[in-house]
Amino acid sequence: MLARAMCGIVGYVGTREATPILLAGLRRLEYRGYDSAGIAVCNGEQAHLVRCQGKLAALEKLLAEKSPVGAYGIGHTRWATHGRPSDENAHPHKAGPISVVHNGIVENHVELRERLIASGRVFSSQTDTEVLAHLIDEALQAGAASLVEAVRAALRQVTGAYAIAVLSDRSPNVLVAAKNASPLVLGLGKGEMFIASDAPAILEQTRDMLFLEDGDIAELDHSGARITDLDGNPVVRKPRTVTWTAGQAEKAGYPHFMLKEIHEQPRAVTDTLAGRLLPDSNDAVLEDQEVTPLPSRVVILACGTSYHAGLVGKFLIENIARIPCEVDLASEFRYREPVVGSRDLVVGISQSGETADTLAAVKEARARGARTFAICNVVDSAIPRASDLVLYTRAGPEIGVASTKCFTAQLAALTLLAIHLGRRNGALAGVAATELVAELMQIPHKMSETLKETGDLKALARKYQNVRDFLFLGRGPNYPIALEGALKLKEISYIHAEGYAAGEMKHGPIALIGDGLPVVIIATRGKGYDKVLSNLAEVRAREGQVIAVATKGDTAILDQCEDVLWVPDAPPLLQPMLTVLPLQLLAYAVALARGNDVDQPRNLAKSVTVE
Ligand code: AGP
């Protein structure tokens, strides 16, 4: 499983005051989450918790008034997944003497919470994390011999992803850290130890680090760490000295956030599907929400990259659920006297949740009686707040202005919605349901394979970095990917690029071809493949240079194009989550070759809160 990037964790145990060390670490981790923050610091008697909604500055303000004293503590900066950003949902979470910070998703938190409540436990937040605090406390009350033993007993009941740091009021100067599928690193100081989600948080303190692996549990005191597995067997991990600068470490060693985020996509899709795609029943659940009554039409509203996700969504919803689906640019819809009503489900898609046009369009649809459904990456932002139902993508914060991981996470969310609707109206059943769900489960792995195989595309970028125009062609569900490939390229390389439905080429754009115009053609196997091959031949016949995105093993395509970018075979409806990857990497490589600022391209902003 791949590393997750939601929320930041820090921990300290030693002889110095913990609070300033935790705060310094959290400042370095704020890029991982910034909707709430908190610390728990213990002086050997009782942990003192300070936590609040908002950016770290809000926590700093509270701490400036009263700073907890103690030589061991834990801290957290949050990117909400379960439970809206609020003071109560901010970490650390406490149960009895136990304080916990967590990054990841406890997939079976609903059943665990029900069981704990039935046994008399009272919850004070909506988070999945509070379940962990109660489980550890329960294990201690049931006689666990030590804090680390109690953490082991708790984690044996948990499925999902976690990186946690735990302290107990009753175990002075001890911290316990554990990792499964979310990153966690220990910093080795002299007479002190540190915990962090990633290296930048503690680089100022030490460069000697020990990277935990999945299944590791570490018990730390000022003198060092004892690492074991879930059964208590000792595990040996070799420390290493980190040479990155803090800036490099924040990007996990990648030169730009965009490249890091491109590579986080298999993880973003895995997390978005986690706990929602049910392979046992070939179904999808939308977090305790039911789209009832079933809509007679779906209308998708969005802007930019999110609009392109919506265009793929049309294929997913119409093919899988057999419900008519329209997609509209939010900026057009809101001013058009749209015809929507109570039998429509209006889906607003937005990475930021703050895009002014999408927000206004969703409000307009709701005012006209439609049921509204938000697909969004930022918990409790304006668009989910203005909607009846919401499904959060779990991509984690996206820093690069060019959207990448939020796009593929949106595609995963739309696939869940299509499966959910299709199962309820019976359009998706039997073998088709089994096959679709099984194929969807394979997608994150195939995404990793695609990213690995595509590599850095430096050579390809050198070849095309000075061209004036680019054309992108695709058919069916890959037509929106042609649009998205063109948008990515123009956003960050400033090269003019057009995306077209391949079948439309002969109706106009064919006049552009000649003089070596680079034409990216998505020519993957599936319905329409033969037709795309004809388009490809038409480009070649007019001196265009073809860069094909093709299915691995399709050697026949090799002598028909200049360059090929390979993707693994997948059903056409799921291909967009793969075919977009080489196009993102191509845009990145060309922008870099042209010396552009990849993460903050000119004239653009991450959220467009003006009309
Ligand atoms: C994508 O790379 C863009 N930066 C932009 O098109 C973006 O997708 C659009 O502004 C919509 O933003 P949203 O998803 O936050 O609503």
Side-chain angles (χ1 to χ4, degrees):
M1 239 201 171
L2 287 125
R4 285 152 203 257
M6 282 179 244
C7 305
I9 289 180
V10 281
Y12 173 75
V13 53
T15 49
R16 291 189 279 159
E17 277 305 324
T19 300
I21 297 170
L22 297 175
L23 257 185
L26 290 179
R27 270 183 220 117
R28 282 277 175 206
L29 286 176
E30 207 177 8
Y31 76 96
R32 298 177 66 91
Y34 40 74
D35 61 44
S36 42
I39 60 169
V41 170
C42 202
N43 57 8
E45 287 167 16
Q46 202 182 4
H48 190 76
L49 247 73
V50 186
R51 54 184 194 161
C52 61
Q53 184 185 345
K55 293 204 172 190
L56 196 57
L59 178 71
E60 285 174 326
K61 214 167 145 207
L62 285 181
L63 292 173
E65 286 159 23
K66 196 171 180 342
S67 178
V69 175
Y72 69 111
I74 54 181
H76 190 265
T77 177
R78 180 167 187 248
W79 181 260
T81 56
H82 293 78
R84 50 188 282 273
S86 67
D87 290 354
E88 305 73 50
N89 289 336
H91 297 214
H93 288 282
K94 204 164 187 329
I98 301 298
S99 303
V100 179
V101 290
H102 166 224
N103 169 30
I105 296 164
V106 177
E107 282 171 24
N108 57 341
H109 73 105
V110 175
E111 37 197 284
L112 288 171
R113 177 185 277 255
E114 278 167 8
R115 181 184 67 68
L116 288 160
I117 289 174
S119 73
R121 288 186 170 263
V122 178
F123 279 73
S124 56
S125 79
Q126 300 152 313
T127 62
D128 52 336
T129 303
E130 198 181 347
V131 161
L132 294 171
H134 281 286
L135 288 176
I136 298 167
D137 184 41
E138 186 184 58
L140 275 179
Q141 287 189 6
S146 61
L147 179 59
V148 69
E149 195 46 57
V151 172
R152 263 188 222 114
L155 291 179
R156 280 197 285 264
Q157 302 173 59
V158 166
T159 55
Y162 53 76
I164 57 171
V166 187
L167 65 76
S168 166
D169 301 351
R170 307 210 184 114
S171 305
N173 303 307
V174 172
L175 295 180
V176 173
K179 165 185 159 47
N180 183 44
S182 296
L184 206 59
V185 55
L186 306 183
L188 320 177
K190 291 197 172 58
E192 54 188 2
M193 290 291 290
F194 306 86
I195 302 172
S197 290
D198 54 28
I202 48 177
L203 265 184
E204 279 169 10
Q205 311 291 349
T206 176
R207 288 191 164 266
D208 296 327
M209 310 243 173
L210 199 150
F211 290 83
L212 292 183
E213 292 185 18
D214 288 352
D216 288 356
I217 299 186
E219 186 185 24
L220 294 87
D221 59 23
H222 72 281
S223 63
R226 283 154 301 285
I227 305 173
T228 53
D229 63 16
L230 266 185
D231 298 320
N233 303 310
V235 171
V236 180
R237 301 277 173 238
K238 252 175 109 182
R240 65 179 227 237
T241 304
V242 170
T243 52
W244 293 340
T245 64
Q248 281 170 329
E250 220 164 59
K251 294 174 192 141
Y254 290 102
H256 297 98
F257 279 110
M258 181 182 175
L259 191 61
K260 171 174 172 269
E261 287 158 5
I262 287 174
H263 284 275
E264 282 173 353
Q265 290 180 99
R267 192 273 311 152
V269 168
T270 303
D271 282 356
T272 301
L273 299 177
R276 296 161 169 175
L277 184 68
L278 308 179
D280 291 343
S281 51
N282 298 318
D283 200 354
V285 285
L286 309 175
E287 324 238 286
D288 302 337
Q289 307 167 113
E290 281 285 335
V291 186
T292 46
L294 282 174
S296 52
R297 183 176 66 145
V298 176
V299 177
I300 299 180
L301 305 174
C303 303
T305 289
S306 298
Y307 170 71
H308 297 155
L311 291 175
V312 179
K314 176 179 168 68
F315 284 89
L316 292 163
I317 289 163
E318 292 194 340
N319 278 270
I320 297 171
R322 305 302 299 151
I323 297 175
C325 177
E326 285 173 26
V327 192
D328 214 338
L329 289 163
S331 54
E332 288 295 318
F333 176 92
R334 59 183 292 202
Y335 292 116
R336 213 194 46 222
E337 291 296 321
V339 184
V340 282
S342 58
R343 300 183 63 204
D344 295 319
L345 181 71
V346 168
V347 179
I349 308 178
S350 175
Q351 174 279 131
S352 62
E354 303 290 344
T355 301
D357 283 322
T358 311
L359 178 60
V362 166
K363 284 184 175 167
E364 175 72 33
R366 205 177 184 193
R368 289 172 186 265
R371 204 160 158 72
T372 50
F373 184 106
I375 292 180
C376 189
N377 197 46
V378 181
V379 172
D380 218 31
S381 51
I383 293 168
R385 280 204 311 268
S387 304
D388 299 305
L389 302 162
V390 52
L391 185 63
Y392 287 110
T393 48
R394 297 175 183 146
E398 192 176 64
I399 313 277
V401 164
S403 186
T404 52
K405 63 176 178 173
C406 285
F407 177 71
T408 40
Q410 287 165 351
L411 297 185
L414 284 160
T415 316
L416 289 172
L417 176 61
I419 294 174
H420 182 81
L421 294 173
R423 292 298 279 165
R424 264 133 213 90
N425 69 5
L428 179 68
V431 184
T434 316
E435 281 178 6
L436 178 66
V437 171
E439 289 284 356
L440 184 53
M441 302 275 292
Q442 293 293 314
I443 288 293
H445 172 70
K446 290 184 181 179
M447 292 172 83
S448 302
E449 211 180 307
T450 308
L451 290 168
K452 207 165 149 204
E453 183 132 338
T454 309
D456 66 14
L457 298 187
K458 272 190 191 140
L460 197 65
R462 268 197 299 274
K463 209 158 138 188
Y464 296 111
Q465 71 184 81
N466 294 320
V467 303
R468 209 188 52 188
D469 309 284
F470 251 92
L471 189 61
F472 287 74
L473 301 174
R475 266 180 189 265
N478 281 314
Y479 159 48
I481 300 307
L483 297 178
E484 177 59 9
L487 176 65
K488 283 289 88 85
L489 188 74
K490 63 188 144 200
E491 266 191 305
I492 58 171
S493 76
Y494 318 142
I495 293 176
H496 168 245
E498 295 248 20
Y500 254 91
E504 275 290 294
M505 191 178 73
K506 55 190 173 298
H507 299 291
I510 199 163
L512 295 172
I513 298 170
D515 272 355
L517 174 84
V519 183
V520 178
I521 303 189
I522 305 166
T524 41
R525 285 250 167 81
K527 208 172 163 188
Y529 171 72
D530 293 341
K531 300 220 168 0
V532 176
L533 284 194
S534 313
N535 299 135
L536 205 145
E538 286 155 19
V539 174
R540 292 281 285 172
R542 288 164 183 81
E543 309 288 315
Q545 301 199 57
V546 174
I547 304 159
V549 177
T551 308
K552 238 164 141 179
D554 181 6
T555 44
I557 209 158
L558 275 174
D559 50 0
Q560 300 185 57
C561 47
E562 301 289 319
D563 298 284
V564 190
L565 302 166
W566 300 110
V567 293
D569 197 14
L573 285 175
L574 305 182
Q575 284 178 11
M577 283 186 266
L578 305 176
T579 49
V580 75
L581 305 178
L583 305 192
Q584 295 167 342
L585 286 164
L586 176 67
Y588 173 81
V590 173
L592 205 64
R594 287 165 69 93
N596 294 353
D597 183 342
V598 175
D599 282 336
Q600 290 179 323
R602 70 184 182 203
N603 305 341
L604 294 172
K606 188 64 188 159
S607 23
V608 186
T609 51
V610 291
E611 281 189 35

